[in-house]
Amino acid sequence: ADICFTSTTVPKMLVNIQTQSKVIAYTGCITQIYFVLLFAEMDNFLLAVMAYDRFVAICDPLHYMVIMNPWLCGLLLLGSWTVSVLHALLQIFMALQLSFCTDLEIPHFFCELNQVVQIACSENFLNDLVVYFAPVLLATGSLTGILYSYSKILSAIHGMSSAQGRSKAFSTCASHLSVVSLFYGTGLGVYVGSARVHSSHSTAAASVMYTVVT
């Protein structure tokens, strides 16, 4: 998911830097938006699934192989994929309803949906609601699950008598927590912040964090 997510944006960004041009065809822009949304949501849900995996591994290690069986893992993956595809299709359908008064020129390194909405001429409350509310709702839902899992993990770690056990538990979660912080901190910042204030430079910088750095 991460490789596909990065591959959706970075090659075009490198071409833009090399050619000093930000031109992209409308169909190319819509296609890029679809795949960005698809793999961003996959990341969103998989980070939540990974938090649950760590919760089971640390809080109930003796039953880990029983709980996290291949059937459940497959079901969680299928659910993540299905919701991601449906959400991306919904957002693309709403984006296709937009009309533009001038040529489509986005001050960004890729076609991010909220940036496209901002330069549209058509005023559509339902469109704005879906574009901003749906990603935030899905992200906060996953983030709530992650925070709940880690609250249980911290409680379990606090109850450990072995310093080695606590260290191992922390090292298990460290990389996941760092990605969660970068991904949700910058991702939600882009969507919530751009709904209030338009700053193309800061938005692009934040987008680099959750599309490339993580």
Side-chain angles (χ1 to χ4, degrees):
D2 277 336
I3 289 170
C4 292
F5 187 29
T6 306
S7 300
T8 304
T9 56
V10 172
K12 177 60 179 171
M13 177 183 70
L14 296 175
V15 170
N16 289 351
I17 292 170
Q18 182 66 28
T19 61
Q20 296 293 307
S21 170
K22 293 185 178 181
V23 175
I24 184 170
Y26 178 73
T27 53
C29 183
I30 292 295
T31 303
Q32 191 178 58
I33 289 173
Y34 174 78
F35 285 109
V36 166
L37 289 170
L38 173 62
F39 294 115
E41 284 305 332
M42 276 295 290
D43 266 355
N44 174 43
F45 291 121
L46 290 179
L47 285 171
V49 170
M50 289 166 70
Y52 178 68
D53 176 75
R54 281 153 177 74
F55 160 71
V56 176
I58 293 171
C59 298
D60 198 5
L62 297 179
H63 295 102
Y64 177 80
M65 295 302 294
V66 176
I67 296 171
M68 296 303 294
N69 58 74
W71 183 85
L72 178 62
C73 291
L75 191 64
L76 290 170
L77 181 60
L78 179 63
S80 300
W81 181 258
T82 303
V83 177
S84 299
V85 168
L86 292 176
H87 172 250
L89 287 173
L90 171 64
Q91 295 286 22
I92 286 300
F93 175 77
M94 299 305 291
L96 290 172
Q97 310 306 309
L98 297 172
S99 59
F100 303 93
C101 302
T102 59
D103 291 338
L104 189 63
E105 187 173 336
I106 303 166
H108 210 336
F109 71 93
F110 72 97
C111 284
E112 195 161 30
L113 182 60
N114 61 319
Q115 296 290 310
V116 173
V117 170
Q118 284 179 354
I119 61 173
C121 293
S122 53
E123 288 291 335
N124 189 329
F125 174 75
L126 179 61
N127 201 312
D128 290 345
L129 186 66
V130 171
V131 165
Y132 289 106
F133 183 70
V136 171
L137 180 65
L138 292 172
T140 51
S142 295
L143 188 57
T144 300
I146 291 171
L147 293 175
Y148 177 77
S149 295
Y150 274 107
S151 69
K152 294 294 185 182
I153 288 170
L154 287 173
S155 178
I157 291 174
H158 182 71
M160 291 179 180
S161 55
S162 166
Q164 185 180 1
R166 286 197 295 271
S167 176
K168 185 179 179 181
F170 275 122
S171 66
T172 301
C173 300
S175 59
H176 181 250
L177 274 175
S178 62
V179 172
V180 165
S181 301
L182 280 172
F183 185 79
Y184 288 101
T186 55
L188 287 173
V190 165
Y191 273 85
V192 175
S194 64
R196 297 182 290 105
V197 180
H198 177 66
S199 175
S200 59
H201 179 74
S202 59
T203 299
S207 296
V208 169
M209 295 299 290
Y210 80 85
T211 56
V212 181
V213 176
T214 55

